[in-house]
Amino acid sequence: MDSLQMAHSGPRKKRPRQMGASMASPPQDIKFRDLVLFILEKKMGTTRRAFLMELARRKGFRVENELSDSVTHIVAENNSGSDVLEWLQVQKVRARSQPELLDVSWLIECMSAGKPVATTGQHQLVVSVLVVISTVRGLIKISPYACQRRTTLNNRNHIFTDAFEILAENCEFRENEGSCLAFMRAASVLKSLPFTIISMKDTEGIPCLGDKVKSIIEEIIEDGESSEVKAVLNDERYQSFKLFTSVFGVGLKTSEKWFRMGFRTLSKIRSDKTLKFTRMQKAGFFYYEDLVSCVTKAEAEAVGVLVKEAVWAFLPDAFVTVTGGFRRGKKIGHDVDFLITSPGSTEEEEQQLLPKVINLWERKGLLLYYDLVESTFEKFKLPSRKVDALDHFQKCFLILKLHHQRVDGGKSSQQEGKTWKAIRVDLVMCPYERRAFALLGWTGSRQFERDLRRYATHERKMMLDNHALYDKTKRIVLEAESEEDIFAHLGLDYIDPWERNA
Ligand code: CTP
Ligand code: MN
Ligand code: MN
């Protein structure tokens, strides 16, 4: 049993005594023998450290003056987990088994309790999953979880990530989930790298890169392209699925059907008299040209004004926040996503808002399509175990008519004839106390969200979804006022929205 587990197993098991010269208090004063603390001076300062050491010793804790291999708990202040890890790596003494890295808040709680308190995600500074790799630019740390990586839009490895995204998409079309995930994870980790991969040596130690992925990287380095990607791009099934799913309302099932029926072009499908289309697909075909040309940032901002005007007409205290790709700083998107929440509304007012907004737009002639999905949210329901579970908030998938004059004050280029553009908009309404979870969930990216949940489940024994966070060990629901609170509960360094482009 290592010291980490011993620290968790309570004060019953005795660890062998170590009467080093560094021990200040006589052994009989030590009440909690399973814990050996070390307090980090860095950023805390000598005086405060001395004070905390003295206090802890008086309360019966064993506190070491120097780092030694018997230390089980390292306490730090104003240091991130990565800071402490870095400090540890340059120390001559290595901790034999991984000590817990804790924030000073844990020690303070112990002091007021007069005994060791259980360590939680709020106290823990670092997780053991960070991989440190040596690169030409020195040591860097890479986590296999996207939620522990800062991924901006500055992707230095486009030639590789484009390839893996095509391969992932092809696997998705062929319903090969395992390979799809492997390619998406590879693309995601490469997007976060602070350098461009030039040789195979650069890939050493990077997590999420399996043999298959590495062989493709090698081929791209050598030939400038991957034969497998080339084959996929020329593949009839891939091309057809890509085309069919570009229509709003067309998913894998419909694409499969049309492909099997022998369709290869949209015009043939559109003009076929025997096919039945859903309301969504009809709208998808009708506004196809507008919807495939991406939404620009200026258009997204103009839509934001429209949404706020409508929402505030009914709930003046509501918060309207842009989420999705635009919140992550993207310059274009396939739609514009908004989260709406109101601190002062009753449940009924909350439930009535989206229908009222839709009604208003309909009267103004701005509503081209809508699908209102009623809430199935239950207050006391625990978070879902599924990584890709849908959420239960009331939401509306729309196509709005955006007049050109509303974009950039009408300065933007006017097409002859048509004075507007059809824009896909998603609106989500959530109870005020759930806003942090909903915001985190709707900001994405999808890969970032998947890894947040995977991390919560596997590294923290918690369950996270768009509504709540549940601690399975303590059997409590954890509340949050902000995204920062959720990251803190999970023991993660906060990642800003523009760093979530995993
Ligand atoms: N989302 C969700 N439940 C859904 C749909 C979306 O939780 N039913 C979340 C996803 O996590 C996603 C985010 O909302 O990351 C935004 O979804 P989407 O608009 O599809 O993706 P974007 O990241 O905004 O990309 P794009 O710019 O193409 O719109
Ligand atoms: Mn979006
Ligand atoms: Mn969306």
Side-chain angles (χ1 to χ4, degrees):
M1 188 182 265
D2 69 22
S3 59
L4 185 74
Q5 285 167 302
M6 276 180 80
H8 282 303
S9 66
R12 282 162 303 281
K13 271 240 163 95
K14 283 216 170 107
R15 70 169 22 252
R17 267 195 225 169
Q18 281 198 358
M19 313 258 274
S22 62
M23 226 171 355
S25 319
Q28 61 266 31
D29 289 342
I30 297 172
K31 282 202 261 175
F32 314 108
R33 293 180 177 277
D34 291 338
L35 279 71
V36 183
L37 311 192
F38 174 77
I39 303 178
L40 192 65
E41 186 179 303
K42 191 176 156 230
K43 290 191 190 164
M44 179 185 280
T46 327
T47 324
R48 181 160 163 80
R49 175 173 184 254
F51 165 77
L52 287 172
M53 283 170 67
E54 178 56 30
L55 184 65
R57 282 170 181 156
R58 263 195 280 128
K59 300 260 180 190
F61 285 81
R62 176 172 159 191
V63 188
E64 300 285 275
N65 289 328
E66 310 285 338
L67 181 70
S68 74
D69 64 3
S70 56
V71 167
T72 60
H73 293 63
I74 295 179
V75 177
E77 187 163 42
N78 296 324
N79 278 281
S80 73
S82 328
D83 294 338
V84 180
L85 200 68
E86 227 159 78
W87 180 86
L88 269 176
Q89 263 146 15
V90 298
Q91 299 310 302
K92 287 188 195 75
V93 199
R94 290 198 176 261
R96 197 169 30 199
S97 45
Q98 280 253 333
E100 281 215 62
L101 310 184
L102 299 162
D103 185 69
V104 71
S105 61
W106 171 77
L107 186 63
I108 290 165
E109 278 177 45
C110 292
M111 295 301 97
S112 52
K115 59 175 191 221
V117 299
T119 59
T120 70
Q122 294 233 38
H123 308 125
Q124 285 157 344
L125 287 179
V126 90
V127 222
S128 53
V129 293
L130 286 175
V131 179
V132 180
I133 65 165
S134 170
T135 73
V136 269
R137 283 145 208 254
L139 294 181
I140 62 164
K141 293 161 252 101
I142 306 176
S143 168
Y145 291 102
C147 57
Q148 290 190 302
R149 302 191 294 253
R150 295 179 196 274
T151 313
T152 65
L153 290 166
N154 182 12
N155 176 2
R156 294 168 169 91
N157 290 285
H158 260 297
I159 54 161
F160 304 108
T161 60
D162 289 352
F164 290 126
E165 280 175 350
I166 290 164
L167 295 175
E169 203 173 25
N170 184 51
C171 292
E172 193 193 343
F173 294 160
R174 291 172 182 276
E175 286 174 70
N176 183 349
E177 259 177 69
S179 302
C180 180
L181 205 60
F183 288 133
M184 286 195 297
R185 285 200 185 137
S188 175
V189 76
L190 295 176
K191 282 181 191 175
S192 75
L193 293 182
F195 58 87
T196 304
I197 288 181
I198 293 166
S199 75
M200 286 313 283
K201 204 156 172 22
D202 297 331
T203 66
E204 274 170 29
I206 299 177
C208 313
L209 304 182
D211 291 343
K212 169 96 190 137
V213 162
K214 281 198 177 167
S215 74
I216 294 166
I217 295 180
E218 190 162 20
E219 201 189 343
I220 296 176
I221 291 173
E222 281 168 13
D223 308 339
E225 60 180 12
S226 144
S227 52
E228 198 168 332
V229 173
K230 233 172 138 182
V232 166
L233 289 174
N234 285 314
D235 177 60
E236 210 177 14
R237 184 186 168 95
Y238 175 82
Q239 289 175 349
S240 304
F241 271 61
K242 186 87 184 147
L243 184 66
F244 300 165
T245 55
S246 73
V247 180
F248 174 55
V250 178
L252 294 185
K253 245 174 55 195
T254 311
S255 299
E256 179 80 52
K257 195 178 88 188
W258 291 346
F259 185 72
R260 277 175 197 245
M261 289 172 82
F263 289 107
R264 296 295 180 266
T265 66
L266 289 182
S267 62
K268 281 267 163 53
I269 293 170
R270 246 170 150 154
S271 56
D272 192 282
K273 294 280 176 292
T274 64
L275 289 175
K276 286 245 183 306
F277 302 119
T278 63
R279 206 169 60 85
M280 205 183 212
Q281 290 161 355
K282 281 180 197 161
F285 278 120
F286 204 79
Y287 303 109
Y288 184 75
E289 298 304 329
D290 278 0
L291 299 183
V292 285
S293 83
C294 284
V295 183
T296 65
K297 199 164 163 18
E299 286 163 347
E301 275 161 16
V303 173
V305 174
L306 254 171
V307 173
K308 282 176 185 164
E309 277 173 7
V311 168
W312 289 341
F314 305 108
L315 288 181
D317 77 336
F319 291 98
V320 177
T321 312
V322 65
T323 61
F326 286 107
R327 183 160 185 255
R328 302 197 307 274
K330 279 176 65 178
K331 296 277 185 289
I332 51 163
H334 94 281
D335 68 355
V336 201
D337 308 281
F338 295 94
L339 178 69
I340 304 164
T341 188
S342 153
S345 311
T346 63
E347 244 172 76
E348 172 146 4
E349 285 170 324
E350 210 173 275
Q351 197 235 319
Q352 279 310 305
L353 178 75
L354 290 185
K356 282 178 178 168
V357 166
I358 291 167
N359 189 272
L360 175 77
W361 283 334
E362 183 145 47
R363 279 183 279 127
K364 288 188 168 181
L366 299 179
L367 195 66
L368 301 177
Y369 169 87
Y370 81 92
D371 177 21
L372 180 70
V373 182
E374 280 304 337
S375 166
T376 53
F377 177 69
E378 293 164 54
K379 251 193 190 140
F380 302 106
K381 207 170 152 189
L382 292 180
S384 165
R385 287 164 191 280
K386 289 195 218 116
V387 175
D388 281 311
L390 295 176
D391 71 42
H392 300 282
F393 299 127
Q394 188 194 41
K395 54 181 95 54
C396 194
F397 307 110
L398 304 145
I399 301 177
L400 285 189
K401 183 186 270 192
L402 181 67
H403 288 285
H404 292 318
Q405 88 236 14
R406 293 196 67 114
V407 184
D408 269 348
K411 286 193 294 275
S412 67
S413 63
Q414 291 253 347
Q415 292 162 282
E416 49 316 324
K418 193 156 147 279
T419 59
W420 52 270
K421 180 175 167 185
I423 308 259
R424 272 274 299 115
V425 176
D426 288 343
L427 302 181
V428 183
M429 183 80 202
C430 80
Y432 188 67
E433 78 276 6
R434 304 296 162 148
R435 66 197 181 284
F437 296 100
L439 182 60
L440 181 61
W442 276 84
T443 298
S445 67
R446 271 172 210 277
Q447 193 58 33
F448 191 89
E449 302 296 328
R450 263 189 219 111
D451 276 8
L452 262 178
R453 291 188 187 197
R454 207 160 57 87
Y455 173 88
T457 307
H458 297 294
E459 304 297 330
R460 294 291 171 195
K461 306 249 178 303
M462 291 184 187
M463 283 150 74
L464 171 72
D465 68 10
N466 287 5
H467 323 91
L469 178 63
Y470 178 72
D471 185 325
K472 290 204 280 185
T473 317
K474 292 180 162 179
R475 300 196 185 157
I476 50 167
V477 174
L478 299 164
E479 300 300 332
E481 295 273 313
S482 64
E483 290 180 313
E484 282 87 342
D485 288 351
I486 304 171
F487 281 87
H489 281 312
L490 290 167
L492 288 169
D493 287 347
Y494 181 66
I495 308 282
D496 276 310
W498 56 88
E499 298 167 327
R500 297 181 205 161
N501 287 291

